[in-house]
Structures are given as C-alpha cells and as structure tokens.
Amino acid sequence: MVAVGELVCLRPLTDRDHDALWDAAHDPVTSRLTGLVPAGSREAFDDWTKRLRQRADRVDFAITTPNCDDLIGHAVFTQMDEFAGRADMRMSMLPGHRGRGYGREAVFRLLELAFAPHPHGYGLHRVGLVVLALNPRAKELYESYGFQEEGTLRDYARDGESYTNATVMSLLADEFDASRSIYTPRTHAGA
Ligand SMILES: CC(C)(COP(=O)(O)OP(=O)(O)OC[C@H]1O[C@@H](n2cnc3c(N)ncnc32)[C@H](O)[C@@H]1OP(=O)(O)O)[C@@H](O)C(=O)NCCC(=O)NCCS
C-alpha cells in the first residue's frame, strides 16, 4: 500500500533503499534508541531485506518525502495477525531527518493505514509497540496519538555497560482519533 501525506509518503521498500537502510542500521545513535544492533554482512542484510517483502506477517514501508522517492525513514508492522486484528509497529527516521515533523506525520499515516478498513488499510483492531525508557521523545510522540502504557519490560536492552527498561504500549482502533490530528486524513482527502 502507498499513502501520500503532507510531509511524507509511505511506500513499499525497494532495492534502491538498501544503502540508506544499511547506513542507518549502523548508526550508533539509532542503535541505542531502538536497541537494535545489526549483525552480519552486507550481502546477508540485502538478502534479509529482500525476503522481508515476501512475509505474510510483516509489511515494511519506506518513509520518503511526498515524491515517494527519497528515503528518510523506515517503518514496519510486524507480527500481523489478520484474525486477531493486531500488529506491532516499529519506526525510525534516518539520521539527518529527525526533529522536522516527518516522524509525527509518519506515525499518523501508519495508524491511518493500520485501522482503515480494507481496501484502504489493514483493518486492524490493535497496534502495539515497545519503546525503550531511554527514548522519551519517541514515547511522547506515541502518547500524543493515544498509545497507552501496558507494562514494563525490565532490563530489556543493553545501554553501554548497563541495561535499560522498555515500555509496552498499545492503541486500539476506537482510541485513534484522526480528527484530532493536524493532518488531513488521507481517506477524506478531496472528498
Ligand atoms: C522518534 C522519531 C521516530 C520521531 O520522529 P521525528 O521526525 O524526529 O519527530 P518529529 O520531528 O516529527 O517530532 C515529534 C515529536 O518529537 C519531539 N521532538 C522533536 N524533535 C525533538 C528534539 N530535537 N528533542 C526533543 N524532542 C523532540 C517533539 O515533542 C515532537 O512533538 P511536536 O510535534 O509536538 O513538537 C525519530 O526521532 C527517530 O527515528 N528516532 C530514532 C529511532 C527511534 O527512536 N525510533 C523509535 C523507536 S520506538
């Protein structure tokens, strides 16, 4: 699926995105904030990234500028379960593209897609996520869209010589109020 917003576009990943994704995956600030540390060769990374596109339980998005070309971030719905109507979400803007409002709109467009009924979206009932305690900026962004805390995962990720907790959060379909957003809902655009 593709969603074109006011500041960002969400589109499927392509091979052309791999260089930027590889660089971002090896950015130490990103690794610290997400708790995800890449392992393996570039070849293995390319293979893995290609295989993601075939998975039924996962959908990866390139976050780009509204031209749907230039990559500025990556987002994913994982553990998608159509019967239960749930998925988990992760996202990361590329270094150099943070703090400019792209992430805020990307979350909104992801949630629009998550909760919109087929064929406009995935018709989900619940979106979950895990955010590290050392990343209050991301947590506040999710809270601003109504995500609620469900619990704490103790010492969930490494932080240098120490560990950091993580918070489990979720948003249910009827808690997502698109009308409170500063963005024009895509499904209403031009109506
Ligand atoms: C967290 C992240 C997705 C937010 O995206 P972003 O494009 O940087 O954020 P935005 O510019 O849209 O700002 C969103 C909110 O973050 C906060 N924020 C933005 N820039 C900030 C800064 N320099 N310092 C502190 N807070 C800041 C603001 O509260 C802002 O809310 P506002 O719109 O009400 O002002 C992005 O910073 C990122 O990818 N970080 C690294 C990876 C990561 O943390 N991923 C999430 C894992 S759960």
Side-chain angles (χ1 to χ4, degrees):
M1 281 191 202
V2 174
V4 184
E6 286 151 42
L7 297 176
V8 300
C9 164
L10 304 179
R11 62 153 170 81
L13 283 178
T14 70
D15 289 354
R16 284 186 300 118
D17 301 317
H18 287 197
D19 285 345
L21 289 178
W22 170 261
D23 289 347
H26 291 81
D27 170 56
V29 174
T30 306
S31 287
R32 177 169 184 264
L33 292 171
T34 60
L36 299 171
V37 179
S41 65
R42 172 65 196 255
E43 196 182 11
F45 177 85
D46 286 346
D47 276 358
W48 177 76
T49 311
K50 275 187 180 140
R51 272 186 282 117
L52 297 181
R53 295 177 214 154
Q54 271 103 58
R55 295 225 341 225
D57 65 339
R58 165 172 181 139
V59 49
D60 285 71
F61 294 98
I63 305 172
T64 74
T65 51
N67 63 10
C68 294
D69 192 16
D70 308 322
L71 191 78
I72 57 172
H74 171 223
V76 56
F77 291 131
T78 59
Q79 314 281 338
M80 281 185 97
D81 183 324
E82 207 172 327
F83 179 73
R86 68 167 182 253
D88 293 332
M89 184 176 101
R90 286 205 308 269
M91 68 173 293
S92 188
M93 303 310 300
L94 301 189
H97 298 280
R98 295 176 187 157
R100 301 187 201 170
Y102 297 129
R104 172 167 291 289
E105 189 183 2
V107 173
F108 177 71
R109 299 296 165 198
L110 286 162
L111 295 174
E112 263 193 327
L113 279 182
F115 295 129
H118 298 283
H120 301 293
Y122 297 98
L124 297 179
H125 173 66
R126 172 197 154 97
V127 173
L129 58 82
V130 170
V131 60
L132 300 186
L134 55 74
N135 196 355
R137 177 175 166 184
K139 183 163 179 265
E140 281 162 27
L141 176 58
Y142 300 136
E143 280 169 344
S144 73
Y145 281 115
F147 275 87
Q148 294 188 26
E149 287 191 29
E150 294 185 325
T152 300
L153 301 169
R154 298 180 306 148
D155 283 0
Y156 183 72
R158 272 210 179 268
D159 180 22
E161 299 303 306
S162 185
Y163 292 90
T164 182
N165 289 347
T167 305
V168 181
M169 305 185 85
S170 71
L171 182 70
L172 304 183
D174 61 5
E175 295 165 348
F176 176 57
D177 184 357
S179 67
R180 280 181 50 208
S181 169
I182 57 174
Y183 304 105
T184 314
R186 189 177 56 93
T187 44
H188 298 169

